[in-house]
Every structure is written in C-alpha cells, then in structure tokens.
Amino acid sequence: MTPIFPGSTDAAGQPATLGVMGGGQLGRMFVHAAQRLGYFTAVLEPDAQSPAGRVSHHHIQTDYHDPAGLAQLAQLCQAITTEFENVPAQALQALALTRPVAPGAAVVGIAQNRIEEKAHFAACADVSGVSCGPYAVIETLAQLQAVQADRADLLPGILKTARMGYDGKGQVRVKTAVELAAAWAELGAAACVLEKMLPLTAECSVLVARGWDGRVVSFAPQRNLHVDGILAVTHTYEGNMPPALATRARNATVSIAQHIGYVGVLCVEFFVVDDGSEHGGLVVNEMAPRPHNSGHYTLDACDVSQFDLQVHAMAGLPLPQPRQHSPAIMLNLLGDVWFDASGQLREPDWHAVLSLPGAHLHLYGKSDVRAGRKMGHLTITGPDVASVKTVARRAAGLLGLPGLDTI
C-alpha cells in the first residue's frame, strides 16, 4: 500500500482524510489521534449526538448499510477503519472495493461470530501455543440434546450467543442440563456457544498492531478485572504478571494476528487458569478487531497510544514499537458513578479526583447517563507502582468504584 501522509492532498486538492465506521468513544479517540497528526476525519454513524461524530470534520449520519452513505465515506476518505466489531462486515467489504479498509471484512467477520472465532483459535493453536477452553456449538435442538446427553463435562458453563454479545450481554450461566435448555430458549434459540467454566486466577489482554507490510509491534500484556462482565480495572506495569506468562500471551497474540494477515490494532483476551503449574495455564478467550478498553492507559502511560498505532497501520505509516514510560492503573467509569446511594443523579466529585497526582480523566462526551454505560475512564500514572496503587485506591474510593481490593 502507498502511504497516506498527513497534511497531503490528492489531485483534486482534497486533504488526506481517514474514515471510521462507528461513532462511539473508540471512534472519538481515533479521531483525536488522526487529527493530532494532521489528518482530516470522517465518521459514519447514525446517532446525531455520537461522541466521534461531534469531534470529526465530517459526520455522515446514516445507517451502516446505506449505500449512499458508504459511497460518501469512500469519496471523502483515502482509508477506512472500524471502531467496533459489530459494524456489518458486508459494509466493510463494499468499501474495500475502492478504498483500503483495515481491518478487512473477513477478519471482522470472524470476530463477529464466536463459532468462527473459536475455529480460528483452534486452527492456529499449534503456532500460537494456546487454545480455547472446552466448548460446544449449539445451533439446533439436536445439538442441544447431544450436549445435554454427552457433554456433562461442560457444566457448569456459560452459554453465549454467537453474535452481538459484549460486556456480559447475551450470556447466561448454567449449572445443569435443565438450566441449559431454559437459557437457550431465553436467548431465542439463537446460535450459541457453551463454554465450560474454568478455575480462573486472572484475566489479561494483549494489544498488537500489524501493518500492510506484515510488521507487528505490541504493548506489554494488561492484567484485567471484570465486574458483571464489564472491565473495571486494568493493571499495566512491570510485574503485573509472571514474565514467562506475559511473554507467552504476547507471542500468542502476534501469532493469531499473523495467521489471518490482520492489518490494524488487534486485542486478544486470555484467561489464566489454575492447572497446577507454578504460574497457571493460558487459555485464549476472544479477540477484538480494534483498540480495546484495556488499552486506554496507553494514551497517558506510553509514548505511542493504541489509537496512534491504529492511524499508522491503516494509513501505511511506519509502526514504531511503543514504550511505556510510566506504570499505570486504568479505572473504567460507568454511569453508576453519577448516581448516589439513593439512586439520585449527581455530578461526581471531580475536584477531589483531579486533585490527585497523576490522575488523567477522559470523559467520552455522552450526554445520556445510564447505569452500566461506559462514560469515561481514569488513568493513574506515577513514578513507581506503589504510588500508582495508592492513588488509584484513593480515586476508586472517591468514586465508589468496584475492584478496590485488587488495586
């Protein structure tokens, strides 16, 4: 691919413009990164008040399937990316007929379907060195009955819809064959995956960026804590994981990206399970074909952020190996923070929070506050791990955030 340099213009005098499908907070942070480099940006998003649409040069307010909107995005932009995996793969495929699209429709399609995703992990397990946990596909009544009869080893487990599940949505925990049947009915008899519940000791994720030329760079693994299926706390500093386990997770993520010829930023999530070994075993859980919530700390703790790398990869620019200059803890800010103990809406104590040393507040520009909705994040950086943990505990206490006991 011929690089698209910031500040350049095409033959018609149009400035170099990068496009993104989706207008959420990930799109907003991508737009900021692209604009800081000197690119114009365009967002295709149906919501008139979307976080990314509000800050972009162009906001194409239309449905993701709309042919006219897709044509307008392709006319404006020299390259296009996506900010969430549920953008229709068909739309990305249509855009790729005339413009570079990274990541491509095929790999986004894999991440949109847990069945295909697990098949991909299995296909590259010999190279990546990791595999997913025990699971079964349930798409039909016959498959459900077969699992009930022959796969008791998968219970207790978690039944997950193959498509459109995220942040704990589309998931039901089941202990018995009877509960499994009821959960499948509750999920509308949709295509599902039943995953065996594993003895987890930790969760982690790895972010890599791969260019059109096959070069790959990566961040060190993040250790994550989820509450009710939503990321609550991310620990990113030396010693957050045993070095051997961190290296294995990093290498596995690079292998997974290489196996499908990925272009862009990719996040792979792993479980650390108690398998009797000194540091535990590594099991691959899922992947996100985009920047990830657990990588938001890179905005403040690294010399190159995950969004910078997203811009570099799609535009064909060199991919610098990022360097983390400060230990960091990221705290996710859900809408719950805006409600007091009696359920009344009120403003969080930002004065106290912003008085803390090394506190970096990022709000996403969402006007509608709802419990469970991602409204922003707070990253704490400092000169050493001990001071970062101390300040993060104070911030979590001020805001009433979960996961305080893990910091």
Side-chain angles (χ1 to χ4, degrees), residues 52-138:
R54 284 178 164 182
V55 300
S56 183
H57 294 89
H58 306 280
H59 178 192
I60 303 169
Q61 188 187 340
T62 186
D63 184 80
Y64 300 125
H65 289 284
D66 179 46
L70 295 174
Q72 185 180 356
L73 185 67
Q75 189 276 326
L76 280 171
C77 301
Q78 283 72 56
I80 298 161
T81 188
T82 178
E83 68 113 27
F84 73 115
E85 57 266 45
N86 288 325
V87 163
Q90 302 95 317
L92 298 177
Q93 193 170 22
L95 290 166
L97 295 175
T98 58
R99 291 289 183 265
V101 175
V107 295
V108 172
I110 291 173
Q112 289 177 346
N113 189 317
R114 292 186 193 276
I115 298 171
E116 294 185 24
E117 184 179 60
K118 289 186 179 298
H120 165 60
F121 291 149
C124 62
D126 288 344
V127 178
S128 69
V130 298
S131 59
C132 36
Y135 75 97
V137 174
I138 301 177

Side-chain angles (χ1 to χ4, degrees), residues 141-164:
L141 180 59
Q143 287 176 320
L144 171 67
Q145 292 170 338
V147 170
Q148 289 175 310
D150 303 324
R151 296 299 306 275
D153 60 304
L154 294 178
L155 297 172
I158 305 176
L159 186 67
K160 300 180 179 180
T161 55
R163 292 185 175 274
M164 302 302 289

Side-chain angles (χ1 to χ4, degrees), residues 105-386:
V107 295
V108 172
I110 291 173
Q112 289 177 346
N113 189 317
R114 292 186 193 276
I115 298 171
E116 294 185 24
E117 184 179 60
K118 289 186 179 298
H120 165 60
F121 291 149
C124 62
D126 288 344
V127 178
S128 69
V130 298
S131 59
C132 36
Y135 75 97
V137 174
I138 301 177
E139 297 179 282
T140 66
L141 180 59
Q143 287 176 320
L144 171 67
Q145 292 170 338
V147 170
Q148 289 175 310
D150 303 324
R151 296 299 306 275
D153 60 304
L154 294 178
L155 297 172
I158 305 176
L159 186 67
K160 300 180 179 180
T161 55
R163 292 185 175 274
M164 302 302 289
Y166 63 96
D167 288 344
K169 298 178 177 66
Q171 303 183 13
V172 182
R173 297 192 175 208
V174 294
K175 296 179 181 178
T176 66
V178 173
E179 288 184 2
L180 173 61
W184 192 57
E186 178 186 331
L187 294 173
C192 289
V193 170
L194 175 64
E195 299 177 359
K196 179 181 178 62
M197 290 187 67
L198 301 172
L200 304 188
T201 60
E203 298 179 63
C204 66
S205 58
V206 180
L207 283 152
V208 302
R210 184 178 184 273
W212 297 95
D213 60 358
R215 172 171 165 76
V216 181
V217 297
S218 63
F219 294 94
Q222 299 91 225
R223 179 164 58 87
N224 304 317
L225 170 74
H226 290 78
V227 175
D228 297 329
I230 302 177
L231 181 66
V233 184
T234 293
H235 299 258
T236 56
Y237 43 79
E238 188 173 353
N240 67 339
M241 289 176 60
L245 205 60
T247 297
R248 189 178 173 202
R250 201 169 190 168
N251 292 343
T253 304
V254 172
S255 296
I256 289 167
Q258 294 281 32
H259 188 263
I260 47 175
Y262 192 88
V263 177
V265 170
L266 176 73
C267 180
V268 178
E269 296 182 73
F270 299 90
F271 294 141
V272 182
V273 298
D274 183 2
D275 64 354
S277 63
E278 182 182 1
H279 300 305
L282 202 61
V283 173
V284 61
N285 176 33
E286 60 186 23
M287 65 181 186
R290 51 169 172 79
H292 193 260
N293 200 169
S294 65
H296 289 345
Y297 76 96
T298 62
L299 289 164
D300 303 301
C302 300
D303 57 358
V304 178
S305 78
Q306 61 173 341
F307 301 100
D308 294 327
L309 291 181
Q310 184 183 22
V311 173
H312 279 238
M314 68 181 292
L317 302 181
L319 290 178
Q321 173 58 47
R323 179 183 64 88
Q324 185 171 346
H325 52 70
S326 303
I329 292 176
M330 192 278 294
L331 305 173
N332 216 12
L333 303 179
L334 304 182
D336 310 63
V337 171
W338 277 256
F339 295 91
D340 62 20
S342 62
Q344 295 299 308
L345 191 65
R346 52 101 171 109
E347 195 71 17
D349 189 357
W350 298 131
H351 183 275
V353 171
L354 294 174
S355 297
L356 298 174
H360 308 270
L361 178 64
H362 298 261
L363 298 183
Y364 302 150
K366 298 180 180 180
S367 55
D368 183 17
V369 178
R370 300 193 303 270
R373 190 183 194 195
K374 293 177 182 177
M375 301 296 295
H377 68 270
L378 181 72
T379 300
I380 306 299
T381 61
D384 53 68
V385 174

